[in-house]
Amino acid sequence: MAVDAVIITAFAELTKQINNALMAKELNKFYELFNWYIVFIVALVPFHALQEFTLGAFNLEWRRYITCGLLLEYINDGQAYYRMKAEDNDIDNPDQRIGQDVAEFTQSVTWFLQAVIGSALKVCAMSGLLATIALDLFAELSLGSLFLTVVALKIFGSPLMRWQRRVLSLEATFRFLLVRIREHAEEIALYHGAPFELVQAQQTFNSTIKALYRRLCITMCFHGFQGAAFTFAGVMPILMVGPKYLRGEAEFGEIGETGIIFGVLLYSLTTLVTQLQNIANVGAQAVRVQQVQESLRRMSQTAMGDEMGSPSEQTIVVSDLAENSGDSRKVCMQLIDVTVRSPHCAGLCLVSELSLALHAGESLLVCGESGIGKSSLLRAIAGLWAEGSGVIERCPARKNLFLPQEPYMCLGTLRQNATYPLNHKDVTA
C-alpha cells in the first residue's frame, strides 16, 4: 500500500515531464519519456498481482478462522444447532449467517481496510507535494473533503446501514421459505397447500422488493450528491493552477500533475464517502455475524451448566450412570422428580414430578393421547430439552439410541448412512 503512494507520485511527475516535452515540441525527449511510461506500466503488473493475492489470502484465512470457530460452537455435543431452532427465535437463518454472511463480511472488511490504509498513506505521501504546488488548493481540498464526509455519514450513512440490514434479513427469509417448500414438497402436495405457500412467498418477496426500493432511493440521493460534489471538485486544479501558468509562474506540465495529485487526494480524503455503500454492507453483516456468535456463546455457557456454581433449579440435570457390567439388575435409566416444561410456551407444564427406574432387561411403554408430553419426555431424556427441574440418570450416550419422528438421511454414501453417525475412520469392514 505504501508502494502505491510512491507509484502515483512517480506517475504524476512522469506525466508532468511528458506534457512539458509536448509544449516544448521536443520529439526525442517525448518518445524517451513515453518509453519509460510503458516500462513503468509493465513493471506494475506483477506488483498488483501479488497485492491482489495477498489480500485474497488474508480474506480467505480470516474467513476460515471465523467460520471454523462458529462451526465448532454450532455443531457439537451441546446441540446448539437444535436448541437455536427450538429455543432462540431471535436468530433467523443461522446457516446463511455462517455460510454466507461471514464470507461477505470478511471480504468487505478486507477491501475496506485496504482502501482506508492505502488512502491514509497516499495522503501522507502527496499532501506535501500538492501544498508545494498550490497551498490554497490543498487547504480548500482538506476543508471540502471534511465537509463531504460529515454530510454523507450524517445524512446517508445511518439510513443506508439500517435498510441494508433489513434487506439481508428479508432476502434470507425468502430463501428459507423456498428451501422449506423443496424439503417438504410431499407434505405440501398432500395437503394441497400450494396456494397458501404461494401467498406466503409472494408476501415475503414483495416486502423484500419494498425494502430494496427504499435502499435504492437512499443510494440514488447519495450518488447524486457525490457525483455533483466530485464534478465540481474536478475543475478546481485548472481554476487554481491555470492562472499561474498564464502568468508564467508555473509550467504547463504542472497543470496535469496537479490534476492527478488532486484527484488522488480527493478520493483518499473522501474514502468514507466513496466507500459508504461498503460501510453499510459491513455494518449490516457485522451485526448478523455478531448476533449468531453471541447466541452460540450463550448456549455454550448454558450447556456447561454454571461452572462457577450449582445447576439452576429451573433446569433438568442429565447425567450418565456408572457402568457396572456384573450386575444383572443394574439401573439403566432413572428419573427423580422430573418436571418438564415447554421451551416455547412459558409456564406450560408437560410432565410433573415424575420418578421411575428402569432396570436391565425391562421395557417401558409410554402411551397416551397426542399432546400430553410423550415426545417431550423423550426429548428431556435425550438432553434436548432442559426446561424444568429434577434429575435424569441414564446409560452413557454411546449405548443409547433415539429414533426421531421424521427420517433423516445424511449427505453421503449408503455405507455412511448405514453407519451414521460414525465417521468413516471409526468403521471397520
Side-chain angles (χ1 to χ4, degrees):
M1 295 178 186
V3 179
D4 278 342
V6 176
I7 290 173
I8 294 173
T9 304
F11 177 74
E13 178 63 26
L14 186 59
T15 302
K16 170 187 172 181
Q17 296 296 333
I18 291 176
N19 287 333
N20 286 336
L22 286 173
M23 281 297 298
K25 298 182 179 179
E26 297 178 357
L27 185 60
N28 292 333
K29 185 176 182 180
F30 169 78
Y31 281 119
E32 180 183 353
L33 291 170
F34 188 78
N35 289 334
W36 278 109
Y37 185 83
I38 299 298
V39 172
F40 185 75
I41 292 176
V42 172
L44 290 180
V45 173
F47 166 75
H48 284 301
L50 179 61
Q51 184 182 50
E52 187 82 9
F53 176 81
T54 303
L55 288 172
F58 173 78
N59 168 46
L60 292 176
E61 291 304 319
W62 190 16
R63 179 190 177 186
R64 185 208 300 269
Y65 172 76
I66 296 178
T67 302
C68 289
L70 290 175
L71 287 176
L72 289 175
E73 292 183 328
Y74 185 62
I75 309 174
N76 55 27
D77 292 337
Q79 299 167 330
Y81 56 89
Y82 173 83
R83 296 166 58 200
M84 183 172 288
K85 178 182 178 181
E87 303 172 15
D88 199 330
N89 296 322
D90 294 332
I91 303 298
D92 63 279
N93 304 293
D95 50 333
Q96 186 202 1
R97 297 184 186 224
I98 297 174
Q100 180 177 337
D101 288 348
V102 169
E104 295 177 353
F105 168 73
T106 55
Q107 185 176 24
S108 298
V109 172
T110 299
W111 297 120
F112 176 70
L113 288 176
Q114 178 203 17
V116 171
I117 296 174
S119 297
L121 293 174
K122 291 171 186 175
V123 169
C124 294
M126 307 185 74
S127 295
L129 185 58
L130 181 61
T132 302
I133 300 174
L135 181 60
D136 48 354
L137 180 60
F138 175 72
E140 292 179 5
L141 172 62
S142 301
L143 293 176
S145 300
L146 179 62
F147 173 77
L148 285 176
T149 301
V150 172
V151 170
L153 293 178
K154 188 71 176 178
I155 297 178
F156 302 106
S158 180
L160 195 57
M161 188 178 300
R162 183 172 62 253
W163 281 102
Q164 177 64 16
R165 191 160 59 244
R166 174 68 173 162
V167 165
L168 287 176
S169 177
L170 288 171
E171 293 274 20
T173 302
F174 180 61
R175 283 192 293 269
F176 179 67
L177 283 174
L178 298 179
V179 169
R180 289 190 75 253
I181 292 173
R182 183 188 66 190
E183 292 180 345
H184 301 278
E186 182 175 339
E187 294 92 326
I188 294 172
L190 292 174
Y191 282 124
H192 301 284
F196 176 84
E197 299 296 338
L198 177 61
V199 170
Q200 294 293 313
Q202 288 177 333
Q203 288 177 347
T204 304
F205 181 68
N206 289 336
S207 298
T208 304
I209 293 297
K210 289 179 181 178
L212 287 169
Y213 265 113
R214 294 295 294 270
R215 189 186 68 177
L216 178 61
C217 290
I218 298 172
T219 304
M220 175 191 66
C221 295
F222 165 66
H223 285 163
F225 167 78
Q226 180 187 14
F230 275 53
T231 300
F232 175 76
V235 300
M236 293 299 294
I238 298 176
L239 292 176
M240 302 298 292
V241 184
K244 290 185 177 182
Y245 168 72
L246 295 176
R247 292 194 300 266
E249 299 174 0
E251 296 178 340
F252 178 77
E254 290 184 2
I255 299 177
E257 180 185 24
T258 304
I260 294 174
I261 297 174
F262 180 87
V264 173
L265 282 176
L266 176 64
Y267 183 84
S268 300
L269 289 171
T270 57
T271 297
L272 295 181
V273 178
T274 56
Q275 297 289 325
L276 190 60
Q277 186 79 38
N278 290 334
I279 293 174
N281 292 338
V282 168
Q285 293 155 0
V287 169
R288 289 175 60 81
V289 173
Q290 183 185 28
Q291 286 175 340
V292 75
Q293 283 180 326
E294 291 177 350
S295 179
L296 290 173
R297 196 170 294 119
R298 183 172 62 253
M299 290 183 176
S300 177
Q301 292 172 352
T302 303
M304 287 189 293
D306 276 350
E307 292 183 352
M308 302 302 294
S310 59
S312 169
E313 295 181 357
Q314 301 300 317
T315 302
I316 300 174
V317 178
V318 180
S319 60
D320 291 343
L321 289 166
E323 295 189 53
N324 187 4
S325 57
D327 187 359
S328 60
R329 290 289 297 167
K330 68 177 181 178
V331 176
C332 296
M333 184 179 69
Q334 184 171 248
L335 278 64
I336 305 173
D337 294 330
V338 172
T339 296
V340 181
R341 297 186 181 89
S342 172
H344 309 293
C345 302
L348 177 60
C349 184
L350 302 172
V351 178
S352 178
E353 299 180 354
L354 174 64
S355 296
L356 63 88
L358 189 64
H359 299 83
E362 295 181 342
S363 300
L364 176 66
L365 174 64
V366 181
C367 58
E369 298 178 356
S370 177
I372 65 171
K374 302 185 299 296
S375 299
S376 302
L377 178 61
L378 288 177
R379 292 189 182 101
I381 295 173
L384 299 182
W385 282 14
E387 292 289 330
S389 59
V391 177
I392 298 176
E393 297 178 338
R394 65 186 190 189
C395 294
R398 66 178 183 278
K399 293 189 175 182
N400 291 321
L401 175 63
F402 294 91
L403 295 178
Q405 293 178 324
E406 297 181 3
Y408 174 74
M409 299 287 287
C410 69
L411 296 177
T413 63
L414 177 60
R415 179 187 180 90
Q416 289 173 322
N417 275 277
T419 58
Y420 183 83
L422 298 177
N423 292 315
H424 68 280
K425 295 181 180 179
D426 302 325
V427 179
T428 58

